[in-house]
Amino acid sequence: MAKPILRVENIHKKFKGTEVLKGLSLTVYEGEVVVIIGPSGTGKSTLLRCINRLTEPDSGDVYLEEQKIEPGKTNLNYIRQQIGMVFQDFNLFNHLTALQNVAIGPIKVKKMDKQKAYELARKELARVGLADKAANYPAELSGGQKQRVAIARALAMDPKIMLFDEPTSALDPELIGEVLEVMKDLANAGMTMVVVSHEMGFAREAADRIVFLENGVVAEMGSPEKIFNNPEKERTREFISKITRLNSVAKDREVL
């Protein structure tokens, strides 16, 4: 049986008096792809940020394998090496080439020899289909290419789990597919992943488990077959139907 990589236990988080996460718990197993879906404002991105401590939860615990992540007691730099994060808006260094963006983490954080770091960066850029863009700066790349560089940058740290916070939401429709293909390749290679996304096609195809969040808690959870074809709750069915319809409209516009 696969071992737990990540455990989130009873996480609470408020912003300006509004409780965004209300005692949320979730376990992610080695090699599993968990796709988190749900309405905007229900705490999906906040959950990811609480996991790697970019946002500090008000209460509750997060464990990476058996290590409890505790401010002041845990080396957060080490934890963030083990928990790769891909954001909506790329967060690349504009003054660095694609190669330098990918290599900077191993050099600065892992203290890797520069030559070895650049060799690793070239390998990871090739892995996401960008071997020929190593010398390009972010301004010379499309949105999809920037996001693939961001994925390569996270992979270069050799994480145990990857978090994706709506990685295609900032992309033009025609560029979404190239990022999702890279993510599917990672899933097929056995990478443990937690993905916040509205891309229902990806969720259906790549997820081992889908988590439907609403009002700061897990409202329903199950396999793609269960969530898409036989959800327990009517609210889940309504959400899936609405998002699938919106995705279909977006694809129709792309064709036109």
Side-chain angles (χ1 to χ4, degrees):
M1 185 174 180
K3 67 177 182 178
I5 289 290
L6 178 74
R7 287 188 291 133
V8 177
E9 297 183 352
N10 199 31
I11 288 289
H12 289 259
K13 182 62 186 179
K14 286 183 180 179
F15 291 104
K16 297 181 179 179
T18 299
E19 195 170 19
V20 177
L21 297 177
K22 304 175 182 178
L24 190 150
S25 297
L26 178 68
T27 299
V28 180
Y29 295 89
E30 186 176 32
E32 186 179 30
V33 178
V34 175
V35 176
I36 299 176
I37 63 174
S40 297
T42 199
K44 303 184 299 296
S45 295
T46 299
L47 171 61
L48 296 193
R49 295 179 69 87
C50 284
I51 288 171
N52 69 358
R53 268 2 199 227
L54 289 174
T55 295
E56 191 62 33
D58 298 325
S59 62
D61 298 314
V62 178
Y63 294 83
L64 179 65
E65 296 182 316
E66 295 304 315
Q67 182 178 7
K68 185 176 180 180
I69 304 173
E70 298 181 89
K73 297 182 181 180
T74 305
N75 184 335
L76 290 184
N77 280 338
Y78 172 77
I79 290 298
R80 288 169 184 156
Q81 291 176 44
Q82 305 304 310
I83 304 176
M85 183 88 173
V86 178
F87 301 87
Q88 299 177 28
D89 51 0
F90 324 132
N91 286 357
L92 299 179
F93 294 105
N94 291 324
H95 66 290
L96 300 180
T97 65
L99 185 71
Q100 291 168 330
N101 265 284
V102 176
I104 192 170
I107 292 170
K108 296 291 187 181
V109 180
K110 288 193 166 185
K111 309 302 180 184
M112 186 180 290
D113 174 79
K114 283 189 177 182
Q115 183 176 345
K116 290 184 178 179
Y118 284 125
E119 289 174 2
L120 174 62
R122 288 188 180 90
K123 175 185 172 183
E124 296 301 350
L125 284 172
R127 188 175 179 182
V128 300
L130 290 176
D132 61 334
K133 299 296 183 181
N136 289 70
Y137 289 88
E140 300 169 320
L141 301 174
S142 70
Q145 290 168 340
K146 290 177 187 177
Q147 193 61 289
R148 284 189 281 158
V149 172
I151 293 172
R153 179 182 58 186
L155 291 172
M157 301 301 288
D158 193 26
K160 293 179 178 176
I161 183 170
M162 290 274 286
L163 310 180
F164 293 83
D165 186 9
E166 298 196 35
T168 61
S169 65
L171 303 180
D172 292 334
E174 67 268 20
L175 301 177
I176 289 173
E178 65 189 59
V179 174
L180 294 180
E181 282 303 314
V182 168
M183 293 170 64
K184 289 176 189 175
D185 288 344
L186 292 177
N188 291 334
M191 173 63 72
T192 308
M193 298 162 59
V194 178
V195 183
V196 170
S197 181
H198 288 302
E199 295 295 330
M200 295 297 103
F202 173 82
R204 186 188 291 269
E205 184 176 342
D208 295 297
R209 195 158 37 118
I210 296 176
V211 177
F212 176 51
L213 256 57
E214 188 168 46
N215 297 323
V217 298
V218 176
E220 187 165 356
M221 178 167 55
S223 67
E225 181 179 359
K226 174 183 178 293
I227 295 298
F228 281 100
N229 300 332
N230 191 30
E232 294 177 5
K233 299 186 177 181
E234 182 60 29
R235 180 67 184 98
T236 308
R237 190 186 310 276
E238 290 173 357
F239 178 80
I240 293 286
S241 176
K242 178 181 178 181
I243 295 300
T244 301
R245 187 167 61 251
L246 289 173
N247 285 350
S248 177
V249 169
K251 287 181 180 178
D252 289 344
R253 287 175 177 170
E254 182 184 347
V255 171
L256 293 174

